[in-house]
């Protein structure tokens, strides 16, 4: 593999055309687009996880995708691609069987298999267990900046690699309520499957949140932890269904990214606010109905296993002996109460990782920002630098406010990857000197 020398040589580094930070769905779709559109460009990817994994803590049996299988990593850009979901099914011998399901929405487990299948095709270009710790400018003699240097920490220590272009797709970070991270018995739904095996029968468990993962977690624990008592702490009067109606769902269509990007800022904010229920704090109606059925049956039988705390918020969690005590604020009754629990599961969402956290001082100081201090990404997801002829650094996962609700979702990844790859400059005739390694 020609990219091995990029890592192993610690004295001089020949810059590759493209480095991807992270290897989740965003950069897998980019890797596919590079192979199909710009195969002449050299590209490598660094992934901090030891192997491929996408929301593995939520691969619950029975959980389905909220997006059509047609919105895979490639079909909207190239429906004839060998990397489509239907090609995956055909190779696995399940195409006819899947068709007989009569659904557009595969299970989350099967879609994860599809993503892993795609990722395996680029195994020679991906370095797992290698974390990017710093991004800085790569200087030529004379002070120009033809690319970036990345400091990598991995199994063999630290080393630097260089690239003319970088795409930052570090994924989403789980958000926890203030003061709760690291406490015993408290974890995020992203870690659900790795922690649920430690819950003994009869455990008392609170699930905090009103979105899809909160409802799935409550349903799953009720069904799979025998005798468990589940407290759903919901900041709304009840769970709200996701708006997946046809016209509203067009907010995720690739052709509407352009109109959103060019819209006035107040219109952007209005769209994001009005249609937040397409993605945030919203639940598939079937999952709400399943939760309600459990809640009603529990009242009917008097088992006392499922409790809904509506218009309620978690204030704090205190460790006591072998359990934890959660303090809950009930807004309807204007009171607080305490629950003695064995675990608190926070389905409190995610936020994109910020590329600025990886930049050295010089690179961060050269960033162009707006009046609110936010990064300025252009239509092709590149951020700007206040230097002549800056190298290209793409941040697609951080562009919701400028590019719309599809920024962190799979819906537009196929087309977006093509736009990014087609925007890459042609460096084949560029003769850059080999930079010294610090």
């Amino acid at each position: 593999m020609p990219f091995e020398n990029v890592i192993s040589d610690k004295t001089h580094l020949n810059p590759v055309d493209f480095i991807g930070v992270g290897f989740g769905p965003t950069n897998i779709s980019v890797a596919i687009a590079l192979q199909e559109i710009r195969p002449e460009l050299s590209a490598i990817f660094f992934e901090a996880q030891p192997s491929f994994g996408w929301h593995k803590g939520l691969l619950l049996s029975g959980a389905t995708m909220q997006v059509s299988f047609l919105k895979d990593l490639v079909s909207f850009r190239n429906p004839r691609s060998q990397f489509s979901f239907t090609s995956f099914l055909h190779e696995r011998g399940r195409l006819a069987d899947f068709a007989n399901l009569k659904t557009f929405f595969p299970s989350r487990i099967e879609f994860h298999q599809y993503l892993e299948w795609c990722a395996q095709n680029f195994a020679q270009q991906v370095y797992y267990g290698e974390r990017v710790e710093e991004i800085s400018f790569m200087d030529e003699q004379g002070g120009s900046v033809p690319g970036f240097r990345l400091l990598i920490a991995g199994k063999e220590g630290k080393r630097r690699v260089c690239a003319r272009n970088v795409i930052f797709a570090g994924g989403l970070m789980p958000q926890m309520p203030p003061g709760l991270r690291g406490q015993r018995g408290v974890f995020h739904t992203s870690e659900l499957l790795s922690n649920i095996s430690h819950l003994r029968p009869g455990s008392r468990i609170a699930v905090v949140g009103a979105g899809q993962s909160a409802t799935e977690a409550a349903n799953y624990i009720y069904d799979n932890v025998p005798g468990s008592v589940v407290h759903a702490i919901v900041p709304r009067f009840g769970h709200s269904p996701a708006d997946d109606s046809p016209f509203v769902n067009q907010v995720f269509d690739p052709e509407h990214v352009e109109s959103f990007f060019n819209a006035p800022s107040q219109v952007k904010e209005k769209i994001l606010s009005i249609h937040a229920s397409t993605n945030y704090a919203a639940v598939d109606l079937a999952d709400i109905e399943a939760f309600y059925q459990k809640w009603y049956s529990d009242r009917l039988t008097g088992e006392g296993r499922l409790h809904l705390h509506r218009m309620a918020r978690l204030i704090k969690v205190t460790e006591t002996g072998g359990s934890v005590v959660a303090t809950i604020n009930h807004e309807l009754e204007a009171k607080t109460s305490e629950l003695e629990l064995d675990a608190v599961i926070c389905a409190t969402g995610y936020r994109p990782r910020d590329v600025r956290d990886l930049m050295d001082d010089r690179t961060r100081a050269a960033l162009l920002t707006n009046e609110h201090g936010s990064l300025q990404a252009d239509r092709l997801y590149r951020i700007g630098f206040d230097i002549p002829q800056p190298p290209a650094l793409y941040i697609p996962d951080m562009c919701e406010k400028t590019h719309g609700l599809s920024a962190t979702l799979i819906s537009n990844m196929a087309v977006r990857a093509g736009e990014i790859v087609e925007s890459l400059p042609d460096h084949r005739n560029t003769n850059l000197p080999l930079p010294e390694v610090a």
Side-chain angles (χ1 to χ4, degrees), residues 71-339:
K71 295 181 178 182
D72 57 23
L73 299 184
V74 66
S75 290
F76 273 30
R77 178 182 58 80
N78 178 14
R80 299 180 181 86
S81 173
Q82 70 182 67
F83 294 101
S84 69
F85 183 76
T86 52
S87 294
F88 158 75
L89 290 174
H90 183 267
E91 183 177 300
R92 294 295 172 93
R94 294 201 301 264
L95 183 56
D97 293 336
F98 182 86
N100 291 333
L101 287 173
K102 299 180 180 180
T103 181
F104 278 96
F105 306 102
S107 71
R108 200 173 294 156
I109 290 173
E110 185 164 40
F111 202 79
H112 187 276
Q113 290 177 1
Y114 160 69
L115 295 174
E116 189 170 30
W117 173 79
C118 290
Q120 287 169 353
N121 284 273
F122 303 95
Q124 298 303 309
Q125 292 172 252
V126 185
Y127 296 89
Y128 289 102
E130 303 276 348
R131 181 183 299 277
V132 176
E133 291 194 341
E134 185 181 83
I135 299 174
S136 59
F137 289 135
M138 180 180 75
D139 289 343
E140 257 189 5
Q141 291 179 356
S144 62
V145 183
F148 296 99
R149 292 199 307 177
L150 282 70
L151 177 63
I152 312 296
K155 299 178 286 292
E156 299 178 3
K158 296 188 178 183
R159 76 287 307 272
R160 293 187 186 273
V161 295
C162 297
R164 299 179 175 100
N165 309 280
V166 169
I167 179 170
F168 176 77
L172 304 177
M173 294 181 61
Q175 289 195 115
M176 293 286 283
L180 292 192
R181 184 172 295 277
Q183 288 185 274
R184 179 181 55 82
V186 180
F187 57 91
H188 193 268
T189 44
S190 59
E191 304 171 314
L192 179 61
L193 284 181
S194 60
N195 281 279
I196 197 170
S197 60
H198 304 306
L199 299 176
R200 65 181 188 277
S203 291
R204 303 153 299 174
I205 304 153
V207 179
V208 181
Q212 181 68 32
S213 59
T215 309
E216 286 180 352
N219 282 333
Y220 188 82
I221 293 167
Y222 186 92
D223 291 337
N224 291 278
V225 180
S228 58
V229 178
V230 180
H231 294 267
I233 301 172
V234 180
R236 299 183 172 198
F237 191 83
H239 299 85
S240 299
D243 187 351
D244 60 355
S245 55
F247 285 113
V248 170
N249 217 34
Q250 287 181 315
V251 75
F252 301 114
D253 290 356
E255 58 263 35
H256 291 296
V257 173
E258 187 82 23
S259 59
F260 186 96
F261 182 83
N262 292 319
S265 58
Q266 64 269 25
V267 176
K268 290 187 176 78
E269 292 171 4
K270 185 175 182 179
I271 293 173
L272 294 174
S273 175
I274 290 175
H275 297 299
S277 60
T278 57
N279 186 43
Y280 298 109
V283 188
D284 281 354
L285 185 57
D287 292 309
I288 296 175
E289 291 171 341
F291 181 90
Y292 187 89
Q293 180 64 53
K294 292 178 175 63
W295 176 81
Y296 184 83
S297 296
D298 189 77
R299 295 186 69 200
L300 181 65
T301 61
E303 285 187 272
R305 288 191 55 212
L306 185 56
H307 304 271
L308 175 63
H309 303 270
R310 61 178 89 241
M311 299 299 295
R313 295 188 178 275
L314 180 66
I315 299 175
K316 64 177 181 178
V317 175
T318 307
E319 296 182 29
T320 171
S323 60
V324 295
V325 174
T327 303
I328 314 298
N329 177 38
H330 303 269
E331 296 181 4
L332 278 175
E333 297 88 358
K335 68 174 186 179
T336 60
S337 67
E338 293 184 342
L339 293 172

Side-chain angles (χ1 to χ4, degrees), residues 51-69:
S51 60
F52 175 78
W54 179 69
H55 296 301
K56 295 179 74 172
L58 281 171
L59 296 180
L60 310 177
S61 59
T64 60
M65 296 292 292
Q66 282 75 56
V67 63
S68 167
F69 73 87

Side-chain angles (χ1 to χ4, degrees), residues 333-365:
E333 297 88 358
K335 68 174 186 179
T336 60
S337 67
E338 293 184 342
L339 293 172
E340 188 172 355
L341 304 163
D342 297 294
V344 175
I345 303 172
C346 297
T348 43
Y350 299 82
R351 64 175 177 84
R353 287 180 167 85
D354 195 326
V355 69
R356 287 171 290 191
D357 295 337
L358 297 181
M359 292 180 176
D360 71 340
D361 291 342
R362 178 190 171 203
T363 309
R364 193 183 303 113

